[in-house]
Amino acid sequence: MATMRKYALFLATLVVAFSPTAAFGHTSVVTTTPLYKTTLSEMPAQVSITFTDDLMEIGERKVNTISITAPDSSEIKISSISIEKSIITAELPSAIYEDGTYLVSYRVVSADGHPVSGSYELYLNAPSAPIKNSSSIEQNHGFLHIHQTHIIQAGVVLILIVLWWGYRRFNREAGE
C-alpha cells in the first residue's frame, strides 16, 4: 500500500513538473477596441489592444508599439501610446480620415520578455482593397489559442483526479 502511494505521488509530480503549460508563455490578443474587422462610421479617438499577459516596460525604451496604416498606405501619426498592465492604447489625432481599410499593427513585449507582433484591419465606412502585408490576427482570436494554457491545466487536473480515483479504488479493493 505504501508503494502504491509513493508511485501515485511520483506520477502526479511528474505530470505537474513536465506539464507543457510553461511552453505556451507568449502573450496573445484577447480583444481589440474597436473590434477587428469592424466597419466604423467615424474614426475612433483611440485604438486599444488587450493581451493575455501584462506588457513589459523598460524605462524610456519604446518596446511596445502600435502603428496605423491608412488605405493609401501612409502611416497615421499617433498622438500618444500608453500601457496599462495588459492593455496598449494609441491616441489618434482628430482629422478627416478617408474611407477604406486601415491596418493596425502592433509589436509588444510581455512580462516573459518575448516580443509578439501582428496586425488587424478596421474599416471606415466600407472596406477597400487589402493593405499590403496585412497579416490578420484572426488566428490569435481563436478559442484554442486564447485558452490553450487553460485547457492544458484542466487536463493536468483531470489526470490527477483519475489518479486519485484509481488510488482510492485500489486501496478499497486491497482492504476487502
Side-chain angles (χ1 to χ4, degrees):
M1 186 178 322
T3 305
M4 183 62 177
R5 284 184 188 164
K6 288 179 183 177
Y7 176 73
L9 181 62
F10 175 73
L11 192 55
T13 303
L14 281 177
V15 167
V16 171
F18 292 105
S19 167
T21 308
F24 300 108
H26 299 309
T27 193
S28 62
V29 174
V30 174
T31 188
T32 62
T33 305
L35 291 174
Y36 73 106
K37 291 196 173 186
T38 297
T39 301
L40 307 165
S41 58
E42 62 182 41
M43 204 61 165
Q46 64 183 21
V47 172
S48 65
I49 306 171
T50 303
F51 294 90
T52 53
D53 299 312
D54 288 351
L55 302 178
M56 181 182 285
E57 293 184 74
I58 305 174
E60 296 297 314
R61 287 186 55 203
K62 304 279 188 221
V63 294
N64 302 303
T65 61
I66 292 181
S67 64
I68 301 175
T69 306
D72 65 0
S73 296
S74 65
E75 193 167 315
I76 294 174
K77 184 176 170 126
I78 294 176
S79 302
S80 67
I81 295 176
S82 61
I83 309 294
E84 181 66 35
K85 295 189 179 191
S86 63
I87 303 169
I88 184 169
T89 304
E91 300 290 330
L92 305 179
S94 58
I96 298 173
Y97 293 97
E98 65 180 284
D99 292 349
T101 302
Y102 287 79
L103 182 66
V104 179
S105 301
Y106 63 88
R107 182 185 184 282
V108 296
V109 179
S110 63
D112 69 1
H114 292 100
V116 175
S117 60
S119 60
Y120 65 96
E121 295 177 349
L122 293 177
Y123 310 122
L124 185 57
N125 292 316
S128 58
I131 298 173
K132 240 183 183 176
N133 299 328
S134 173
S135 58
S136 177
I137 63 166
E138 288 183 57
Q139 69 215 8
N140 291 348
H141 283 281
F143 177 83
L144 289 177
H145 184 78
I146 292 172
H147 297 289
Q148 191 171 30
T149 301
H150 303 119
I151 292 168
I152 291 169
Q153 290 169 339
V156 169
V157 168
L158 185 62
I159 289 169
L160 291 175
I161 290 171
V162 168
L163 287 172
W164 175 79
W165 176 79
Y167 169 75
R168 297 280 305 212
R169 184 172 177 182
F170 177 78
N171 281 340
R172 275 192 229 140
E173 289 176 0
E176 293 177 359

